């Protein structure tokens, strides 16, 4: 995979009356899938709306394909496939009309690809948009987003509210598209299972701030819950643990640098005084939310 | 911008043309078509059609969240606003031409004919400025807040029409020939200049509407 970043965000800031997106910075290398995880109201949708130039930022920089999307809106959007949380289409128009209408705006629209997606998704060309279920509307959004050869896909909670079958179908399509066509993807979700399945990079967002960003495998390798009997851990390690709880077995706490302390725990693990439990993205998110 | 104009032109075809056909039928059926009241109806019909055209278009956009949809596509706010202004201009020019053709069959006195020739384009220019103001209002406050203003302006136009016909016209009738004579003798250069000024104002309104739309992004 290339390492060149397709997207760079620096110190992005957006203020609302009761919410501030504060100093958000991250980057997405070409060909990577980045998942933004956070609870409702964390700022995921605001971040994505800012990337899409749907709202104005109060400060910070956004760079997509080396361009400022506010100054080069048409060029940047021509190279982006977007699927939002809500599917906005002209409700009284048919699927075919929607495809024809949208195709006129994109330089690299591939009609054969669009028709193939409609067939794969079993979307009737003659059906009106208002007659489609939410899942079918999401599929139409994906058909549009993928039919103009985008280099970057920006997806805002595309799978929320969908049944597991359609969710899996969409995630598989996304993974296939990203891997086979080397497309970069930013996907926000509060369904951590979805992101665990497809993302390379995970960014945790809480209360308008980025709490952590890193490669998913590194995160999962470093974030562990350590169960230990009293006196089994050194003071340094005990002090570095988060969310420490007293349990029947002894105590337990979270570490975010397991690989660094792994060797120091080996003895305790051997004596069965220390047990290490793998965490999933949900556990990490909850630990952030609970502080 | 062309796809946007094409999309909105469907509204033009489905809204303005049937009304125009309706007016022709009315003209043929109404035995008193030569009545000056009919001319007044045509004048105000232009205002109401302009308001109705913009209102219907914006209602559709609001109902479908059309602007939110368009903003996800490679299209700028300037193009979205300009397409609306351009189509409204085409509509007003169409109605002015249509009215002039329709009223050319009007068998009135020379004074009445002069009045028609003068006031139809004036009405067209007024409609255009009204359209510009309404668009700025829509982009500033959103259609949900502005639709009450649309109703108020529509009722206001009808009220003005009734008052003009029933109250004002009889009172100023003695002095009307002199007023009309003065107005219709205004030089063509000034008339063209007035058209130019109105078109320039409309252009400035469009630029303001673009700014307002961009600024209205949360």
């Amino acid at each position: 995979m290339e390492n060149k970043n397709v997207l760079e965000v620096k110190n992005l800031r957006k203020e609302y009356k009761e919410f501030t997106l504060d100093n958000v910075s991250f980057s997405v290398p070409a060909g990577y899938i980045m998942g933004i995880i956070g609870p409702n109201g964390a700022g995921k949708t605001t971040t994505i709306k800012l990337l899409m130039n749907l709202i104005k930022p109060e400060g910070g920089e956004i760079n997509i394909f080396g361009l400022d999307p506010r100054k080069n809106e048409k060029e940047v959007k021509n190279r982006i496939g977007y699927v939002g949380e809500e599917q906005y289409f002209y409700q009284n128009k048919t699927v075919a009309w929607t495809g024809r209408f949208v195709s006129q705006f994109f330089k690299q629209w591939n009609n054969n690809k669009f028709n193939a997606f409609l067939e794969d998704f079993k979307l009737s060309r003659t059906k009106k948009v208002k007659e489609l279920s939410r899942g079918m509307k999401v599929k139409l959004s994906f058909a549009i987003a993928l039919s103009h050869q985008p280099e970057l896909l920006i997806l805002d909670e595309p799978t929320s509210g969908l049944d597991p079958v359609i969710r899996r179908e969409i995630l598989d399509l996304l993974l296939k598209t990203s891997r086979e066509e080397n497309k970069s993807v930013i996907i926000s979700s509060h369904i951590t299972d979805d992101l665990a399945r497809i993302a390379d990079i995970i960014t945790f967002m809480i209360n308008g701030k980025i709490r952590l960003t890193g490669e998913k495998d590194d995160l999962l390798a470093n974030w562990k819950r350590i169960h230990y009997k009293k006196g089994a851990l050194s003071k340094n390690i005990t002090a570095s643990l988060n969310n420490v709880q007293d349990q029947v077995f002894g105590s337990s706490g979270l570490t975010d640098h397991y690989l660094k302390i792994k060797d120091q725990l080996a003895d305790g693990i051997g004596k069965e005084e220390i047990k290490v439990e793998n965490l999933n993205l949900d556990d990490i998110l909850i630990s952030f939310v609970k502080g | 911008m062309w796809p946007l104009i094409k999309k909105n032109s469907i509204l033009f075809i489905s809204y303005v043309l049937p009304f125009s056909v309706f007016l022709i039928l009315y003209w043929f059926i109404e035995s008193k078509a030569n009545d000056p009241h009919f001319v007044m109806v045509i004048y105000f019909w232009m205002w109401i059609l302009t308001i109705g055209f913009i209102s219907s278009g914006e209602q559709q956009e609001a109902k479908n969240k059309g602007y939110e949809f368009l903003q996800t596509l490679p299209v700028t706010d300037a193009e979205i606003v300009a397409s609306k202004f351009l189509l409204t201009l085409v509509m007003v020019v169409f109605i002015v031409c249509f009215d002039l053709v329709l009223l050319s069959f009007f068998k009135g006195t020379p004074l009445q004919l002069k009045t028609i020739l003068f006031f139809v384009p004036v009405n067209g220019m007024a409609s255009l400025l009204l359209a510009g103001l309404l668009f700025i209002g829509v982009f500033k406050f959103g259609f949900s807040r502005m639709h009450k203003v649309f109703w108020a302006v529509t009722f206001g136009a009808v009220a003005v029409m009734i008052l003009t016909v029933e109250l004002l016209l009889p009172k100023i009738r003695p002095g009307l020939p002199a007023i009309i004579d003065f107005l219709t003798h205004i030089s063509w250069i000034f008339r063209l200049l007035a058209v130019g000024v109105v078109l320039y104002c409309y252009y400035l309104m469009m630029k303001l509407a673009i700014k307002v739309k961009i600024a209205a992004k949360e």
Side-chain angles (χ1 to χ4, degrees):
Chain A
M1 282 187 196
E2 292 174 45
N3 283 324
K4 198 182 164 195
N5 291 332
V6 287
L7 169 70
E8 284 173 353
V9 174
K10 282 181 198 160
N11 307 321
L12 198 59
R13 188 173 167 79
K14 175 74 189 168
E15 278 178 38
Y16 290 107
K17 270 183 189 169
E18 291 172 358
F19 170 77
T20 302
L21 190 80
D22 193 16
N23 216 20
V24 165
S25 303
F26 60 86
S27 58
V28 181
Y32 275 70
I33 299 178
M34 189 182 93
I36 304 178
I37 298 180
N40 292 330
K44 305 184 295 289
T45 298
T46 304
T47 306
I48 283 182
K49 280 184 173 175
L50 287 165
L51 296 181
M52 286 300 293
N53 196 26
L54 302 180
I55 50 175
K56 274 193 308 187
E58 259 84 56
E61 276 177 41
I62 300 172
N63 217 298
I64 305 180
F65 314 119
L67 300 167
D68 180 346
R70 276 177 283 170
K71 288 179 186 159
N72 305 278
E73 188 170 5
K74 281 182 91 166
E75 191 184 337
V76 168
K77 282 187 180 171
N78 245 305
R79 295 162 71 183
I80 289 177
Y82 171 75
V83 179
E85 193 178 4
E86 299 285 329
Q87 270 60 51
Y88 300 127
F89 295 113
Y90 290 101
Q91 299 295 314
N92 278 322
K93 301 294 183 186
T94 61
V95 168
W97 183 93
T98 306
R100 271 199 310 275
F101 175 66
V102 165
S103 70
Q104 301 171 89
F105 295 97
F106 291 104
K107 286 178 192 163
Q108 295 197 64
W109 181 265
N110 185 334
N111 217 34
N112 293 334
K113 208 168 177 181
F114 179 68
N115 288 331
F117 276 124
L118 294 189
E119 213 159 286
D120 285 352
F121 292 153
K122 296 181 177 60
L123 275 165
S124 163
R125 294 172 57 80
T126 53
K127 246 189 179 176
K128 286 187 174 175
V129 170
K130 67 179 176 190
E131 293 164 357
L132 301 177
S133 66
R134 171 161 158 71
M136 293 306 242
K137 281 182 192 166
V138 172
K139 286 180 174 181
L140 176 59
S141 283
F142 268 97
I144 289 170
L146 294 170
S147 296
H148 63 90
Q149 335 283 2
E151 292 161 55
L152 170 67
L153 284 166
I154 297 182
L155 316 170
D156 182 17
E157 310 239 13
T159 54
S160 78
L162 297 183
D163 69 59
V165 179
I166 294 179
R167 251 174 65 197
R168 178 64 65 89
E169 220 176 305
I170 282 170
L171 291 174
D172 288 346
L173 169 74
L174 214 52
L175 201 57
K176 188 180 159 209
T177 311
S178 171
R179 296 292 177 254
E180 287 177 5
E181 299 174 29
N182 198 35
K183 293 187 194 312
S184 310
V185 181
I186 296 179
I187 174 168
S188 81
S189 182
H190 58 266
I191 307 170
T192 51
D193 280 354
D194 288 357
L195 299 189
R197 181 176 295 279
I198 61 167
D200 304 305
I201 300 169
I202 297 288
T203 297
F204 288 91
M205 194 169 229
I206 318 278
N207 293 331
K209 286 184 180 141
I210 288 192
R211 293 293 300 269
L212 180 67
T213 185
E215 294 212 9
K216 181 185 71 187
D217 294 341
D218 288 346
L219 286 175
L220 293 176
N222 271 306
W223 278 76
K224 304 282 180 188
R225 184 181 299 279
I226 298 175
H227 301 268
Y228 56 97
K229 284 183 179 170
K230 202 174 179 185
L233 289 181
S234 68
K235 279 184 182 174
N236 285 349
I237 294 176
T238 312
S240 70
L241 296 180
N242 296 313
N243 291 79
V244 176
Q245 293 168 353
D246 290 326
Q247 293 172 334
V248 180
F249 183 76
S251 300
S252 75
L254 300 185
T255 180
D256 57 1
H257 53 277
Y258 174 69
L259 295 179
K260 275 187 188 169
I261 59 169
K262 191 178 171 186
D263 292 341
Q264 297 174 55
L265 303 179
D267 273 357
I269 293 170
K271 291 177 192 167
E272 294 194 345
E273 289 176 344
I274 298 172
K275 283 183 181 173
V276 178
E277 183 192 336
N278 288 331
L279 294 180
N280 56 33
L281 297 175
D282 255 346
D283 297 321
I284 302 173
L285 177 66
I286 290 166
S287 83
F288 279 131
V289 174
K290 286 188 173 174
Chain B
M1 196 162 71
W2 173 237
L4 295 173
I5 294 174
K6 211 164 75 179
K7 173 183 80 70
N8 295 329
S9 65
I10 292 162
L11 187 69
F12 177 75
I13 293 164
S14 64
Y15 188 86
V16 179
L17 292 185
F19 269 86
S20 308
V21 170
F22 171 76
L23 203 72
I24 294 170
L25 288 174
Y26 175 68
W27 189 76
F28 274 112
I29 293 164
E30 181 58 59
S31 57
K32 290 178 181 173
N34 287 349
D35 192 314
H37 288 189
F38 179 66
V39 180
M40 291 304 293
V41 169
I42 287 183
Y43 288 171
F44 284 94
W45 166 74
M46 198 185 290
W47 283 48
I48 289 163
L49 205 55
T50 306
I51 298 164
F53 179 66
I54 296 171
S55 172
S56 304
E58 293 312 305
Q59 192 174 18
Q60 271 192 17
E61 297 290 7
K63 194 175 151 193
N64 291 295
K65 300 218 168 191
Y67 289 125
E68 283 85 343
F69 172 47
L70 292 175
Q71 278 174 347
T72 65
L73 303 174
V75 57
T76 60
D77 289 309
E79 286 175 321
I80 293 170
V81 176
S83 70
K84 298 263 173 185
F85 270 76
L86 202 61
L87 194 66
T88 307
L89 175 66
V90 169
M91 186 204 72
V92 169
V93 170
F94 171 82
I95 300 173
V96 167
C97 295
F98 179 82
D99 281 359
L100 287 174
V101 169
L102 189 64
L103 290 167
S104 68
F105 295 101
F106 182 82
K107 291 184 180 62
T109 62
L111 182 70
Q112 284 170 334
L113 292 173
K114 272 183 183 178
T115 316
I116 290 164
L117 265 177
F118 182 80
F119 277 107
V120 167
V122 167
N123 235 348
M125 289 191 277
S127 303
L128 214 52
L129 295 177
L130 175 69
L133 288 175
L134 291 175
F135 273 130
I136 291 169
V138 166
F139 294 129
K140 174 79 182 165
F141 304 109
F143 180 74
S144 55
R145 283 188 209 163
M146 274 297 286
H147 82 277
K148 287 174 191 162
V149 176
F150 277 90
W151 281 108
V153 175
T154 308
F155 283 120
V158 173
V160 169
M161 179 184 83
I162 293 166
L163 287 174
T164 310
V165 173
E166 300 301 327
L167 297 172
L168 194 66
L169 215 57
K171 280 182 184 171
I172 62 165
R173 199 179 285 274
L176 203 58
I179 298 169
I180 302 295
D181 196 49
F182 170 75
L183 291 173
T184 51
H185 278 90
I186 292 173
S187 136
W188 280 103
I189 294 170
F190 281 113
R191 289 183 194 199
L192 285 175
L193 199 66
V195 172
V197 169
V198 168
L199 287 177
Y200 185 64
C201 286
Y202 189 63
Y203 170 73
L204 292 179
M205 282 173 158
M206 184 184 82
K207 285 185 85 173
L208 180 63
I210 292 168
K211 274 189 186 171
V212 165
K213 183 156 187 346
I214 291 169
K217 283 184 176 178
E218 294 166 70

